[in-house]
Amino acid sequence: TIESEYEAGRAYLLTCIGMHPSQMIFEEGSYQSTLKDVFCLYLFLKRMKYVRRGDMEDERLTKIVSPWEEKLQALLKEFLHIGNGGSEEQIMNLQTTLQELRSSASPILSKLLSTLIDIDHSLRRDQLLHEYNRIVYENCTL
């Protein structure tokens, strides 16, 4: 019915702008526990490739970042391929891969920062972390 479609649309918009009555549950239960670390590292890498293009093409950084990015791209490709019609096994595989990406995000960030500083001694760890934390802050509605 039109009324139920209206309510579904309203709930979706409230979620998008961070004002859904269950927003805290969405944030803590889904986004924070699985997606946030992966998404924020992805955005940080994207930002660094834009502002530090030459450094990010260094072989030392490529060895650190490329396997993680390839795994993320494979996950996204598989997710788009199965859509809403995936089997339970496919969904479990996606969740496992996402959890692996999430657990490796912090060590990769740490190695990335150290290597960037080794490449360009004018960079400071706190300066890079400030940019990462800005990205984290901008991608949380709480």
Side-chain angles (χ1 to χ4, degrees):
T1 68
I2 292 176
E3 203 166 295
S4 64
E5 289 177 11
Y6 170 79
E7 283 303 315
R10 183 177 179 278
Y12 174 77
L13 288 174
L14 286 173
T15 303
C16 288
I17 61 173
M19 295 180 63
H20 192 279
S22 301
Q23 190 70 27
M24 189 73 92
I25 294 168
F26 296 150
E27 289 279 339
E28 290 175 357
S30 299
Y31 181 67
Q32 295 244 1
S33 67
T34 54
L35 297 173
K36 185 176 181 182
D37 294 340
V38 174
F39 186 60
C40 290
L41 180 57
Y42 166 77
L43 292 176
F44 183 70
L45 289 171
K46 188 175 174 181
R47 177 76 175 145
M48 290 295 105
K49 286 178 182 180
Y50 179 74
V51 297
R52 310 286 310 176
R53 180 170 299 164
D55 294 343
M56 292 301 290
E57 292 173 353
D58 186 284
E59 185 179 339
R60 292 173 285 177
L61 283 174
T62 315
K63 284 181 182 178
I64 295 168
V65 172
S66 288
W68 189 88
E69 288 181 313
E70 289 168 7
K71 195 175 215 178
L72 178 61
Q73 290 300 323
L75 173 79
L76 293 173
K77 184 178 177 182
E78 181 66 20
F79 180 76
L80 292 173
H81 174 71
I82 67 169
N84 290 331
S87 69
E88 190 172 321
E89 182 181 350
Q90 288 174 314
I91 292 169
M92 290 298 291
N93 287 340
L94 287 175
Q95 289 174 337
T96 301
T97 303
L98 185 58
Q99 191 59 37
E100 290 169 1
L101 286 168
R102 180 182 179 267
S103 64
S104 64
S106 182
I108 287 185
L109 177 65
S110 182
K111 289 177 189 174
L112 173 68
L113 298 180
S114 296
T115 308
L116 274 170
I117 293 167
D118 287 344
I119 292 169
D120 184 349
H121 298 294
S122 68
L123 292 173
R124 296 186 331 266
R125 184 175 186 83
D126 63 324
Q127 178 185 29
L128 295 168
L129 277 174
H130 179 75
E131 178 62 19
Y132 177 77
N133 289 330
R134 183 192 62 75
I135 290 169
V136 170
Y137 178 77
E138 287 179 354
N139 288 283
C140 179
T141 59
L142 295 177

